[in-house]
Amino acid sequence: MKPRDSISTRYILNDLIKNKGVNLALLVILVLSAFLMATGSMVMERLVGSVNQLFDEAKPPHFLQMHKGEYDQAALDRFAAEHPEIDAWVVEEMLGFDSAALAWERPSTGENGDLADSLIDNLFVTQNPDFDFLIDQDGEIPRPSAGEAYVPVAYEQRFELAIGDELRVKTAEGFQELTIAGFVRDSQMASSLSSATRFLVSEADFEALSEAGGGAPEIIVEYRLTDASLVSDFQRAYESDEALPKNGQAVTYQMIRVINAFSDGLVAMALMFVSLLLIAISLLNARFVIRGTLEDEVREIGAMKAIGLPNKSISGLYLSKYRAMTFLACVAGGLLAIVATNLLTRTVQVNYAEAPLGLSTFLVPVLALALVYVFVVGICRRVFKKIRKIQVVNALVHGSTLDDRQTARRAKRQAKRVRRTSLAAFRGTNVNRRLAWLDLRAESAQWILIPVVFFLASVLMTLPMNLLSTFESPKFVTYLGAQESDVRVDLQFSEDVDTVREDVLAAMRQDERLTAVRTYANVLYEAEGEDGWEIFRVEVGDYSDGSVAFTEGGRPESGQIAVSVLNADKYELSPGDDFTIRLDGASTTLTVSGVYQDVTSGGYTAKMEGEVTAGAAAYVFYADSAEGEDPAAIAADYGDEFPSAASIPMREYVTQTLSYVTDAFRSAAVLSFVFGIGVAALITSLFLKLRLTSDRQKMGMLSAVGFSTSEIIAQVRGKTLFAVAVGTVLGPVFAATGGESVVGSFIALAGLGIADLAFIPNPLLVYLVYPLALISAGYLTALALTARLRGADKSAWLRG
Amino acid sequence: MPQTDQVTLECESLTKTYYSTDPPTQVLNGIDLAVKRGEFLVVMGASGSGKSSLLYSISGMDRPTGGNVTLEGRELTSMKDPEVSRVRLTSMGFIFQQAYFLSNLNIQDNILLPALKATPKDKAGVVARVDALMERFGIEHVKRHGITQVSGGQLQRASICRALAGEPTILFADEPTGALNSSMTAEVMDALSDVHSGGTTLVMVTHDPACAARADRIVYLKDGLLVDSRELGAWTKEDAKRREDEVFAWLSEKGF
Ligand SMILES: Nc1ncnc2c1ncn2[C@@H]1O[C@H](COP(=O)(O)OP(=O)(O)O)[C@@H](O)[C@H]1O
Ligand SMILES: [Mg+2]
């Protein structure tokens, strides 16, 4: 060991023993920061890896178009022949069954149940020949034999299904039994935000199911291109071809990727966000501790300078401790992160694929931790630059870290201050409180740590909570382009859709369990895009009840149209602009009334006032349930009565489809609540500990001139309470303003059609419970730490 | 005003042990002491003999381990901390070797602090009294100065002003000249003599025989016990030299 190293080691050991509490607190916060940073980056890496792996195996389509009803096979063949960029294409036939029509039984034990709790569509398909494969858990492409079925992995977990269980499908002709031969992952529909999921059966069973009836036939036209970057041109070409089937949703490769990454990437993003705030807190804290150390050890530093040690060696000596601590924190945080990542990515691995461990698996978290290390040590090094300014004489004689110029400047500042602040001019009668206030002002450079930390902690706690309450709010569906309602009935295109519409509407209007029935029709207009006319989806209905929230402008009236955020971008529209659309060759020019956010149909929609009763591609009805009625039961009744209608209890549906995201936010909210309170309390105790030590003589003096211990304690508590409250109050204010736009722009970046995320906070929690919890944490810490002052011999304070 | 026969401060079998050390430090081993109203008492003794501890214990800053202390008939040792603090605020004054002041207040505010706290409603009266005190001790012209802008002697005189601002019954001074050079020492001692002649009871710890010579009585502390005392009678400037010699001789006997 080199001599300097051994000095460093000895110094570190001595310091660790001497300042156990302070060092431990710093270490804990550093470990937490490193842990969260490593976990966030590892989850991100695993997620991207898993998605890539699944995409490699399953080869999802680059463009797909859903459709219900008749279609022109010849037109599809012609289109394919005209487009050499198509590598492969397929028309996948699907049979949709209601969850209630699916039941299972375990022959060995007789256990059974049904899947009725699931609200998403269950589509039965056969394995595709060339691409868009459903993949089993070994990464293989399963081809079921007759009598076998492969069930989505999500259902395996949710309903605890096992290989060998019987799956019973209720068709119009009775039950058809299949044996579960395995579980499949679906690249198209893996996302927890997906509204449908696919079951794999053999050709023979598919034929049997479709002959038996009871399922809703649907197709997806899927294309795989020679080059994925051609997708947008390709989509435009497809949509401008009149003869092609297109009454359902169109989805591109990018959208599949984004949706996949969005739902699960949010967790990783939340973790990294929490980590960044914690790093900020630990840096502030380190700076405070370092400054304290320099003040405490200024004479030693002076002595080292006096014997001729260069500044670099001295700061190196001190820095060695922070280097060691940060390094230790990074290693410990990294190790803990491995455990946490395994827990957090378990569902990701099941739904997508087990990503192989590669170089990046190690490199990404190591790089993230290296950044943390470099950043923290770099900041510490900067604080230690102060050592250069310390002058031997001032340090040794006056115990001051300041050089002559700084000393003079400080004296001047102080002289100016004491001329102004004056007890003599003080009007109040509470001298104790006045003194605390003057103290706080004079020592604001130190005390600022507390409000800043509490501000950060409060932001840390509030933002995830606001996200959670926003996604959980019944109003959130309006962000998704749907209306706030209890029951929603969808009628997709079919031969007799207009008659069914009359029947459903009549039934709903007569139904006493329902109130406020609203009807909307989806009409496929055309609009002129860059390459000519293309499909333009317009929802026609009555918006006078103000059920849609507009980010710009207002609701459409007659002769007007409102467009979704993505359409507004695409066609460069804003309120007041004229916009021409056409239907069956007849054009109309409308004025844009407003812009709203929407994630349905890929986010490209529009709304017009009016009523369309025939010829639409689809119809949607919304209704509220009367007091005391169960929306789920009502929805189920309509599903039974009108098999071609998809009827869902809206709130439950949204809760279910968003449950994965809200679960992630809930974990993030709980985690950041615990960390926020814990870190805030930890730093308060650290700060007060150091503060009380350096204030000993002052407290001794106050005691000598007649201040009681209670009054001295009250001063400290009052100052803490004030500092804590200021920081805490600013937190939610920022979260509601700046924080909202930061988070909102992240979500806007995802390109889902949410341009302007307005939080729907839980006011009681965010504006009352959280601040109170934080303030209590700070105040209780102050109570605990100052309680020790009672009963002390005050002379000990004066003796230093 | 000369000293009287009435006792103002009295302690009986006072003991003090500090338990913060291992083993505990037994500092005072049973002190019996009565200070008369208007008396100027000096406590002497070797360094570490417990002089400061005695002052802290009889002023209620520290809680004695045993025995009791009464001031003007009120037993301090049975009072709770807020009450003792109130007594310190209204009836006692403290002067230390090191001048402890709040750096964010100017000299005047520092002096005002305890008096204003004692009678916040009578601010005008307190300010007038403090201004008069500063004038009397010659620091009126630095009243708006910060505590780092004045000399050690001025600071110590400011301590005296602060101690007197509340019109205390008794004044404690713990080596008030210990950190001062000889001219400043004379400055401060003249001020204290002045205070004493104004009628204030004074208990002072000092190492300096010249300062001790100004006292009415000297007690000698050794190993936590009062082992000797000497009455000197009232001090006069003319008599100063002779008394100094007398104190010196007395101290030499004890190997001081
Ligand atoms: N708070 C304390 N804790 C432990 N020991 C103390 C404390 N205060 C004083 N002492 C010890 O008590 C003894 C007497 O101290 P002190 O009263 O300051 O003596 P003097 O003022 O006569 O020099 C010394 O040995 C000192 O170390
Ligand atoms: Mg002493």
Side-chain angles (χ1 to χ4, degrees):
Chain A
M1 208 182 251
K2 282 181 290 176
R4 209 190 115 199
D5 286 350
S6 75
I7 293 177
S8 299
T9 320
R10 229 181 17 233
Y11 165 75
I12 293 175
L13 287 179
N14 277 341
D15 182 87
L16 288 182
I17 294 162
K18 206 173 74 191
N19 302 316
K20 270 189 285 295
V22 172
N23 288 322
L24 195 67
L26 196 56
L27 190 64
V28 166
I29 300 173
L30 280 172
V31 169
L32 277 183
S33 321
F35 164 67
L36 290 174
M37 186 49 93
T39 309
S41 63
M42 274 160 99
V43 167
M44 202 71 111
E45 190 276 336
R46 294 281 76 198
L47 178 64
V48 170
S50 291
V51 173
N52 282 344
Q53 179 73 14
L54 178 61
F55 274 33
D56 276 356
E57 289 166 358
K59 299 193 171 48
H62 290 134
F63 175 73
L64 66 89
Q65 171 69 54
M66 301 190 186
H67 183 81
K68 259 186 193 163
E70 294 292 309
Y71 63 93
D72 184 350
Q73 179 71 41
L76 284 170
D77 290 337
R78 173 184 48 77
F79 181 77
E82 284 167 3
H83 288 270
E85 72 268 33
I86 296 174
D87 187 36
W89 69 286
V90 72
V91 177
E92 177 168 54
E93 295 189 33
M94 309 186 293
L95 277 175
F97 282 90
D98 197 66
S99 300
L102 302 174
W104 62 275
E105 185 176 320
R106 190 159 299 158
S108 54
T109 62
E111 281 174 89
N112 61 64
D114 59 31
L115 310 186
D117 278 350
S118 167
L119 292 171
I120 59 180
D121 294 344
N122 305 289
L123 305 169
F124 281 73
V125 300
T126 57
Q127 187 65 276
N128 281 325
D130 300 320
F131 66 99
D132 190 23
F133 301 119
L134 296 178
I135 300 294
D136 74 8
Q137 275 150 310
D138 304 320
E140 305 295 331
I141 301 167
R143 302 197 185 270
S145 29
E148 286 183 344
Y150 283 79
V151 175
V153 279
Y155 282 172
E156 177 191 12
Q157 300 166 303
R158 178 146 173 211
F159 298 105
E160 294 176 354
L161 302 178
I163 291 177
D165 290 352
E166 294 290 332
L167 180 71
R168 219 174 282 142
V169 185
K170 189 176 156 207
T171 65
E173 291 177 357
F175 289 101
Q176 177 147 353
E177 300 211 341
L178 297 160
T179 308
I180 297 180
F183 299 94
V184 281
R185 300 191 267 235
D186 186 334
S187 61
Q188 246 192 67
M189 302 176 183
S191 157
S192 33
L193 288 174
S194 176
S195 63
T197 185
R198 290 189 285 185
F199 288 64
L200 190 60
V201 293
S202 67
E203 305 273 350
D205 288 318
F206 186 83
E207 290 304 318
L209 280 173
S210 72
E211 265 156 40
E218 230 180 281
I219 58 160
I220 309 183
V221 190
E222 306 184 349
Y223 294 92
R224 192 131 171 118
L225 307 181
T226 48
D227 181 353
S229 64
L230 301 171
V231 168
S232 29
D233 287 340
F234 184 81
Q235 179 177 18
R236 233 168 293 163
Y238 187 99
E239 296 206 326
S240 56
D241 193 324
E242 303 267 342
L244 298 177
K246 54 170 92 72
N247 65 16
Q249 193 171 331
V251 180
T252 63
Y253 188 71
Q254 281 90 342
M255 281 161 68
I256 299 175
R257 280 210 76 114
V258 164
I259 296 212
N260 278 324
F262 176 70
S263 50
D264 301 284
L266 277 174
V267 190
M269 263 163 56
L271 286 176
M272 284 162 91
F273 166 75
V274 172
S275 161
L276 284 181
L277 286 183
L278 278 181
I279 289 176
I281 291 177
S282 45
L283 282 176
L284 279 172
N285 191 17
R287 184 170 166 276
F288 173 75
V289 173
I290 291 173
R291 296 216 150 179
T293 311
L294 292 185
E295 305 265 317
D296 283 353
E297 308 199 351
V298 61
R299 286 175 206 276
E300 284 88 333
I301 295 172
M304 284 191 262
K305 285 192 143 192
I307 61 171
L309 272 182
N311 290 326
K312 255 183 107 165
S313 313
I314 302 173
S315 58
L317 182 65
Y318 283 97
L319 201 56
S320 58
K321 176 183 123 188
Y322 293 89
R323 278 217 187 95
M325 270 170 71
T326 315
F327 184 75
L328 193 68
C330 284
V331 171
L335 291 178
L336 286 174
I338 295 175
V339 180
T341 306
N342 276 334
L343 290 176
L344 283 171
T345 54
R346 208 172 274 163
T347 56
V348 172
Q349 308 256 4
V350 171
N351 279 330
Y352 295 91
E354 205 144 320
L357 299 180
L359 194 58
S360 65
T361 317
F362 301 98
L363 228 49
V364 168
V366 165
L367 214 68
L369 286 175
L371 277 178
V372 172
Y373 178 85
V374 168
F375 193 57
V376 172
V377 172
I379 297 273
C380 290
R381 191 194 300 274
R382 275 199 46 190
V383 184
F384 276 121
K385 283 245 167 86
K386 233 188 140 181
I387 286 183
R388 267 199 311 209
K389 292 225 167 129
I390 292 180
Q391 289 179 346
V392 176
V393 174
N394 282 341
L396 288 179
V397 179
H398 306 294
S400 160
T401 57
L402 307 176
D403 64 22
D404 292 335
R405 276 230 321 276
Q406 286 171 314
T407 313
R409 220 180 313 143
R410 166 177 286 199
K412 219 164 136 191
R413 241 197 340 248
Q414 207 170 41
K416 217 168 119 195
R417 183 168 49 220
V418 297
R419 212 173 284 279
R420 262 183 288 132
T421 71
S422 171
L423 275 184
F426 167 58
R427 285 178 197 289
T429 52
N430 192 331
V431 175
N432 207 47
R433 198 177 302 154
R434 173 78 183 163
L435 209 53
W437 173 245
L438 290 174
D439 252 10
L440 209 50
R441 256 185 19 190
E443 292 166 0
S444 53
Q446 278 95 51
W447 278 93
I448 192 78
L449 178 77
I450 296 293
V452 171
V453 165
F454 274 78
F455 167 75
L456 290 175
S458 155
V459 171
L460 172 81
M461 288 160 61
T462 310
L463 274 185
M465 188 61 222
N466 276 352
L467 268 176
L468 175 63
S469 61
T470 304
F471 275 67
E472 272 186 335
S473 161
K475 281 208 198 79
F476 184 71
V477 292
T478 61
Y479 287 15
L480 304 173
Q483 295 199 13
E484 219 184 317
S485 68
D486 294 327
V487 179
R488 169 178 166 148
V489 180
D490 273 274
L491 285 182
Q492 296 293 336
F493 181 80
S494 61
E495 292 312 308
D496 56 349
V497 66
D498 293 336
T499 6
V500 177
R501 176 187 178 275
E502 293 297 321
D503 296 346
V504 173
L505 193 56
M508 288 177 80
R509 290 222 159 111
Q510 272 165 22
D511 197 330
E512 289 188 346
R513 296 171 301 174
L514 295 175
T515 60
V517 179
R518 286 97 72 191
T519 77
Y520 299 90
N522 283 321
V523 182
L524 298 183
Y525 279 84
E526 286 176 314
E528 193 158 20
E530 275 175 35
D531 298 326
W533 292 94
E534 55 195 24
I535 290 277
F536 189 77
R537 271 157 239 277
V538 181
E539 189 189 62
V540 184
D542 178 9
Y543 300 99
S544 59
D545 57 354
S547 50
V548 179
F550 292 89
T551 56
E552 279 177 78
R555 67 185 176 86
E557 300 194 25
S558 148
Q560 294 183 328
I561 188 166
V563 293
S564 69
V565 166
L566 293 185
N567 264 335
D569 281 352
K570 182 175 172 186
Y571 296 102
E572 295 174 354
L573 297 173
S574 47
D577 292 354
D578 278 348
F579 186 49
T580 303
I581 54 175
R582 70 179 191 190
L583 185 65
D584 303 329
S587 329
T588 6
T589 297
L590 302 154
T591 310
V592 176
S593 69
V595 179
Y596 58 91
Q597 22 199 23
D598 189 356
V599 299
T600 56
S601 303
Y604 294 97
T605 63
K607 293 183 195 292
M608 257 160 65
E609 182 77 15
E611 195 178 8
V612 170
T613 55
Y619 297 96
V620 188
F621 308 118
Y622 294 104
D624 293 335
S625 58
E627 190 72 31
E629 298 290 345
D630 174 17
I634 303 176
D637 287 353
Y638 279 85
D640 288 346
E641 199 178 332
F642 304 101
S644 63
S647 145
I648 49 170
M650 193 62 188
R651 293 221 161 89
E652 229 175 292
Y653 174 77
V654 171
T655 313
Q656 240 182 58
T657 37
L658 290 179
S659 71
Y660 185 78
V661 179
T662 48
D663 282 352
F665 285 151
R666 190 170 302 111
S667 320
V670 169
L671 196 76
S672 48
F673 181 84
V674 174
F675 281 4
I677 296 275
V679 166
L682 194 64
I683 298 223
T684 310
S685 71
L686 183 88
F687 175 81
L688 285 180
K689 224 173 133 82
L690 295 177
R691 205 68 238 145
L692 288 177
T693 311
S694 64
D695 277 355
R696 279 165 72 90
Q697 289 205 338
K698 192 162 84 189
M699 296 189 311
M701 183 275 277
L702 289 178
S703 171
V705 302
F707 283 75
S708 69
T709 313
S710 305
E711 286 168 326
I712 293 169
I713 289 177
Q715 278 192 23
V716 180
R717 290 178 181 172
K719 287 189 275 191
T720 311
L721 189 61
F722 179 80
V724 162
V726 167
T728 306
V729 166
L730 290 179
V733 173
F734 171 80
T737 53
E740 183 178 283
S741 14
V742 171
V743 173
S745 50
F746 261 111
I747 291 189
L749 274 184
L752 294 175
I754 301 181
D756 174 29
L757 180 90
F759 283 148
I760 309 171
N762 179 338
L764 190 70
L765 219 51
V766 171
Y767 298 118
L768 195 71
V769 177
Y770 272 36
L772 276 184
L774 257 181
I775 292 175
S776 311
Y779 192 63
L780 287 178
T781 312
L783 285 192
L785 275 157
T786 48
R788 290 188 217 154
L789 300 179
R790 250 184 246 288
D793 284 318
K794 277 77 129 196
S795 68
W797 296 344
L798 277 179
R799 293 178 202 259
Chain B
M1 198 180 79
Q3 88 179 59
T4 64
D5 286 339
Q6 292 120 319
V7 170
T8 175
L9 180 96
E10 184 166 25
C11 66
E12 286 170 351
S13 12
L14 188 68
T15 60
K16 177 67 189 174
T17 306
Y18 287 111
Y19 290 97
S20 53
T21 54
D22 187 33
T25 327
Q26 189 160 355
V27 185
L28 302 178
N29 291 322
I31 305 270
D32 295 301
L33 178 68
V35 184
K36 294 191 202 78
R37 214 174 281 163
E39 186 179 21
F40 183 172
L41 177 77
V42 157
V43 182
M44 300 195 79
S47 182
S49 57
K51 304 182 294 294
S52 300
S53 301
L54 178 63
L55 287 198
Y56 293 134
S57 288
I58 58 180
S59 64
M61 285 261 289
D62 289 355
R63 217 153 258 290
T65 312
N68 56 53
V69 180
T70 46
L71 177 69
E72 292 292 324
R74 300 172 68 202
E75 191 176 330
L76 298 184
T77 27
S78 61
M79 291 178 184
K80 291 208 162 28
D81 176 74
E83 215 179 331
V84 189
S85 300
R86 186 83 205 158
V87 171
R88 246 190 338 270
L89 181 71
T90 53
S91 314
M92 299 178 180
F94 255 106
I95 304 160
F96 303 95
Q97 171 173 6
Q98 190 186 339
Y100 299 111
F101 283 103
L102 295 178
S103 59
N104 56 330
L105 295 183
N106 62 29
I107 298 282
Q108 184 193 28
D109 286 341
N110 264 298
I111 296 172
L112 274 172
L113 181 65
L116 205 56
K117 177 171 157 44
T119 51
K121 299 229 165 66
D122 178 29
K123 202 172 76 196
V126 172
V127 171
R129 200 159 67 227
V130 163
D131 282 347
L133 276 169
M134 283 191 292
E135 180 122 34
R136 171 170 156 205
F137 293 105
I139 50 170
E140 167 75 16
H141 60 289
V142 294
K143 68 186 216 179
R144 289 286 151 79
H145 283 42
I147 58 163
T148 50
Q149 294 172 285
V150 298
S151 75
Q154 285 171 323
L155 214 50
Q156 207 54 306
R157 278 181 280 153
S159 292
I160 297 173
C161 291
R162 179 175 64 188
L164 292 178
E167 299 183 315
T169 324
I170 186 164
L171 200 64
F172 299 103
D174 192 353
E175 302 187 34
T177 59
L180 302 179
N181 65 26
S182 57
S183 76
M184 285 182 189
T185 297
E187 223 175 81
V188 168
M189 283 318 297
D190 284 346
L192 284 178
S193 293
D194 191 27
V195 170
H196 173 232
S197 60
T200 310
T201 314
L202 205 56
V203 179
M204 180 174 88
V205 171
T206 185
H207 279 290
D208 184 345
C211 298
R214 300 200 184 213
D216 296 327
R217 174 164 64 121
I218 309 179
V219 291
Y220 195 83
L221 194 61
K222 191 176 175 194
D223 297 334
L225 284 170
L226 286 179
V227 290
D228 201 356
S229 88
R230 183 155 189 121
E231 292 283 349
L232 296 176
W235 181 77
T236 54
K237 202 161 187 135
E238 299 70 48
D239 210 15
K241 187 75 194 104
R242 188 197 57 76
R243 289 167 66 111
E244 235 168 85
D245 293 340
E246 183 185 340
V247 171
F248 205 81
W250 181 69
L251 286 173
S252 319
E253 270 169 43
K254 293 178 209 339
F256 181 76

